[in-house]
Amino acid sequence: MSDQVILETRNLCKVFRAGKSEVRAVDDLSVSIAAGSFTALTGPSGCGKTTLLSLLGALDRPSSGQVFFLGRELSRYSDVELARLRRRMGFVFQNFSLIAGLPVWDNITYPLIPRGVGRRERRDIAAQMLARFGLDDKADRSPSELSGGEQQRVALARALAGQPDIILADEPISNLDPVNSAAVMSCLQQIHAEGKTVVLSVHEPAIAPPGSRVISMAGGRIQREEIR
Amino acid sequence: MTKFIEIAGTGVTAILLHPWRSAVTAGAVTVVLLPYLVCLGLSHGLRLEAESSIQLGADLYVSGIQFGHKVPIPLVAKSQIERIDGVTEVVPRIVGAIAIGRNRESAVVVGMPVDRFATGASFLEGRLPGQNSVNELVLGSELAHRLNLKLDSRIPPFYQNAQGEKVSSVVGIFRPDAPVWQANLILTTLTTAAAIFNQEGLVNDFLVYCRPGYEDHVRAKVLETVSYRAQGSSGGPRPMVIQRTDLTAVLPTGLLGQQGVFELHFVLVFAVGILVVLVTSGLGLSERRREIGILKATGWQTDEILFRSLVEGCLLSLAAAALAIVLGLVWLRVFNGFWIAGVFLYGAGVSPAFRVPFVLAPAPALLTVLIALVVVMTGSIYSTWRAATASPAEAMR
Ligand SMILES: Nc1ncnc2c1ncn2[C@@H]1O[C@H](COP(=O)(O)OP(=O)(O)OP(=O)(O)O)[C@@H](O)[C@H]1O
Ligand SMILES: [Mg+2]
């Protein structure tokens, strides 16, 4: 594992306003994530895992504080640079966020279209990804025809299709049965073994593989940190 | 290059991704464009017909002016104009408005020498009034239809003059191919027209035909030498000359009734159209915003997303314009401008009895395509841009 810091936050805050009340979803949080590391965020529902992940993934703007990617602050990135950055990150959404109406194979490789990957090549890539997650026969289905667990795996396949340097996965196994969650975890471990950085959120810290860093959150702050 | 073709491809499939949204967008744009296109087609058709009939008309129209108003002039002045060098023919004409029938339908009586009627025989059912006949009338089809008059119908005395009341008869009816503004005409001889208005010896104007190149000379001479004044009197109208080219400028606006409604609609096309597209293309649709957020989150650039919407909007607006053109053609050709012709043309009822003139190609059709493009693009590009420049997490919420 290298010592290079790939992602870092400093005094990061994200405040949501709903009417008069204010929610500090992420509250003065500073953390650095080493390149090639495996990090698991855990904590009770509403502690800010999703919010922190989307700030790390350049999907949301902080209310205050900074996020750095390889030492460069995200607010200094132009729109085009941000798009390029997001191509280096694979994000798995807690709610899958697949495009309804698009067949599964198209969903998986839609992010490759602006990278100039042709249709036939996209189909091949989708087929490989689907085989990897045991969904060979689902390529032409629509997401709405899949079970929650299957959609979860399609979302993961989409995040991996672009061969990102970092995987940010928001509860990638919460909808899966033990067999499938073991499969997804071993897949993430395999990606980690290939040298990629993995950050995921989980409800159950026990499933984090040995040697991984487990960060427990509460109320938008880091409460405890340990290496398993 | 493949990148742009592929993105364009996603623009095409995006239409099918949300078939209802696409249908509503295209449908709404079609609905606002259709009346606009039909009116444009009617006005172009009218203008063309007006222009061609002006080409067939006289070179100069000589009348009188008094206190700034166009006034009738004595028939005897005809010989003064005939004497001018370059004049080949002078045709006196009476044009006047009357109300006729139980419902007081307004009609325009035109009296002139029978051999100078502009309508060809093919437009006529029946015959022209006899050269020296009295009270023989030829009616425009629209008027005949509304008064329920047929060929050889007798019209009870509808005017009173010094000679008392007379029964008139319909000897001819204009067929539907006659120009629109003739559909409400009553054509008759100069004598009968003079009798109807009880104005013997007066006409409205002279149609003057000249040898080529003499128009300006004749015009100047008329203004200089023609006098309508009775011997020894210092009052009376002065001559006024309208050239054919002046008429071309005046006619189309004068012929289009309800010009204001037409212009109002034009504004509505833009306002309503853009609003509808704004809503259907994302400002109001969270589904669409979410989709754009997902694209953004997975590494699409704003310009790539805009390009995708551009292709989608292009196809939608072309579809809407094509649909509007087809429906417009059906409306005008098959349904003969049912209802709308009456709204925009003087003298046409709900279901015009004459063939409405219209021209759809190329200008009105092209304009329709252009407006469809502008309307859809403005709406969809703006809302796409709004969604694409928000942070992805925000757009996806
Ligand atoms: N868009 C929003 N508007 C208002 N409040 C929000 C919004 N998104 C999140 N929150 C609030 O911020 C806090 C953190 O939310 P977040 O989704 O990050 O929690 P989480 O740890 O991912 O929870 P879970 O385990 O249930 O997914 C919550 O209290 C939530 O109610
Ligand atoms: Mg969450």
Side-chain angles (χ1 to χ4, degrees), chain A residues 14 16-18 23-26 43-52 94 170-171 201 203 217, chain B residues 397:
Chain A
K14 180 70 187 181
F16 291 110
R17 279 183 190 85
V23 180
R24 301 186 78 82
V26 170
S45 181
C47 69
K49 302 182 292 293
T50 298
T51 310
L52 177 59
Q94 187 171 3
D170 197 2
E171 309 208 8
S201 73
H203 265 137
M217 291 178 66
Chain B
R397 272 200 270 276

Side-chain angles (χ1 to χ4, degrees), chain A residues 4-151:
Chain A
Q4 194 189 20
V5 171
I6 192 161
L7 274 171
E8 184 183 358
T9 73
R10 280 187 210 153
N11 308 107
L12 192 64
C13 287
K14 180 70 187 181
V15 182
F16 291 110
R17 279 183 190 85
K20 276 186 200 148
S21 66
E22 230 183 48
V23 180
R24 301 186 78 82
V26 170
D27 191 8
D28 196 27
L29 190 147
S30 301
V31 69
S32 32
I33 300 197
S37 64
F38 194 110
T39 309
L41 300 174
T42 179
S45 181
C47 69
K49 302 182 292 293
T50 298
T51 310
L52 177 59
L53 279 173
S54 56
L55 289 167
L56 288 174
L59 303 184
D60 214 348
R61 297 187 186 105
S63 306
S64 66
Q66 296 121 359
V67 180
F68 297 84
F69 180 81
L70 292 176
R72 184 161 172 230
E73 216 230 305
L74 290 192
S75 66
R76 292 160 172 265
Y77 279 65
S78 70
D79 181 74
V80 173
E81 286 171 329
L82 276 177
R84 295 280 148 87
L85 174 60
R86 290 181 192 122
R87 292 177 192 180
R88 298 179 62 179
M89 307 196 192
F91 205 102
V92 184
F93 298 91
Q94 187 171 3
N95 60 2
F96 322 134
S97 293
L98 301 173
I99 297 174
L102 276 187
V104 163
W105 78 266
D106 217 359
N107 254 295
I108 291 174
T109 55
Y110 224 64
L112 304 182
I113 292 171
R115 301 181 210 181
V117 181
R119 188 184 165 85
R120 190 169 304 150
E121 202 181 331
R122 288 201 294 122
R123 268 217 91 119
D124 290 345
I125 293 172
Q128 284 168 24
M129 299 308 300
L130 287 168
R132 188 165 179 181
F133 292 106
L135 295 167
D136 305 75
D137 52 338
K138 304 285 196 296
D140 293 305
R141 297 278 195 88
S142 148
S144 58
E145 296 165 357
L146 301 184
S147 74
E150 286 167 338
Q151 291 185 44

